[in-house]
Amino acid sequence: MLDTLTAVILLMGIPGTPEPTPTEDAFPALRDAVHKIAIEWEILDTRETSYIFAKRSDFEADLNLLRRRYQDFKDAPRLDEANRLPERKIVNELIHFNRAFRQHLVERHHLEQDRSEIYEAVMIETDQLYRVWDAVRDARCEFYYTSVRRQALVRLKEMLGEEDYAAVNLPPNVPTWRWRE
């Protein structure tokens, strides 16, 4: 219990605040408590436990890494929110189409110089949509570390805005508003 409380206090500290290195006897229990809390708070991936807090000599550097993550992610979406997004396979197909469409625009841009401004505008819109869908892909990619996936959710929320993010109102993968009926 004391190790868990100590771990919470340590993780919530300000990055860069010096902390004494725990004794050799106290280090394993404290390391395990920090790992447990950091994983629960989604600031540490279970795969990172093999090298974060692996050595007592790296205590302060590793602690500062987790403190920065705590600060970065304390208001960030939790990983379970990624499950509301389309499956990665579908997202990959949408991104593949986005990139093929972009390449088509580049080719048309070279051929139709008189319409270069329009093609450039559509390429910019296509790239903006790519960034949204790339963030969706990163958030859904389960082999990425927790911190990468949560950062993708942060980017996605910033790009969509609060309301659209909450409603999972994703834009099309290409600027379909450019097509006339």
Side-chain angles (χ1 to χ4, degrees), residues 79-89 91 134-144 149 152-153:
L79 272 185
D80 62 345
E81 291 188 29
N83 296 330
R84 300 178 319 130
L85 302 171
E87 291 183 20
R88 200 168 142 257
K89 181 180 176 185
V91 174
D134 186 49
V136 172
R137 176 176 53 186
D138 287 352
R140 289 292 294 189
C141 189
E142 293 183 12
F143 56 83
Y144 284 171
R149 295 180 67 203
L153 289 170

Side-chain angles (χ1 to χ4, degrees), residues 34-150:
V34 167
H35 281 166
K36 181 179 182 284
I37 297 300
I39 289 168
E40 286 175 14
W41 289 357
E42 295 183 351
I43 60 172
L44 181 70
D45 192 280
T46 55
R47 296 168 289 182
E48 293 177 293
T49 60
S50 64
Y51 57 89
I52 299 207
F53 284 98
K55 294 190 258 177
R56 194 170 69 90
S57 60
D58 293 337
F59 177 78
E60 195 164 345
D62 290 343
L63 180 60
N64 280 321
L65 169 77
L66 292 178
R67 283 176 169 174
R68 281 190 299 278
R69 285 186 186 175
Y70 172 74
Q71 293 299 318
D72 291 344
F73 295 128
K74 65 183 174 187
D75 297 322
R78 302 281 296 181
L79 272 185
D80 62 345
E81 291 188 29
N83 296 330
R84 300 178 319 130
L85 302 171
E87 291 183 20
R88 200 168 142 257
K89 181 180 176 185
I90 294 167
V91 174
N92 283 336
E93 291 172 7
L94 294 171
I95 288 174
H96 180 75
F97 184 81
N98 175 287
R99 296 293 81 190
F101 180 70
R102 172 110 177 29
Q103 184 57 41
H104 174 74
L105 292 172
V106 169
E107 292 165 5
R108 300 301 303 175
H109 180 260
H110 291 305
L111 294 173
E112 300 179 38
Q113 295 289 320
D114 60 320
R115 298 180 184 175
S116 65
E117 287 181 18
I118 293 171
Y119 282 113
E120 289 167 8
V122 177
M123 282 188 270
I124 289 169
E125 293 169 354
T126 302
D127 289 342
Q128 290 169 339
L129 294 169
Y130 169 80
R131 285 189 286 280
V132 169
W133 287 97
D134 186 49
V136 172
R137 176 176 53 186
D138 287 352
R140 289 292 294 189
C141 189
E142 293 183 12
F143 56 83
Y144 284 171
Y145 282 170
T146 299
S147 58
V148 173
R149 295 180 67 203
R150 288 191 74 198

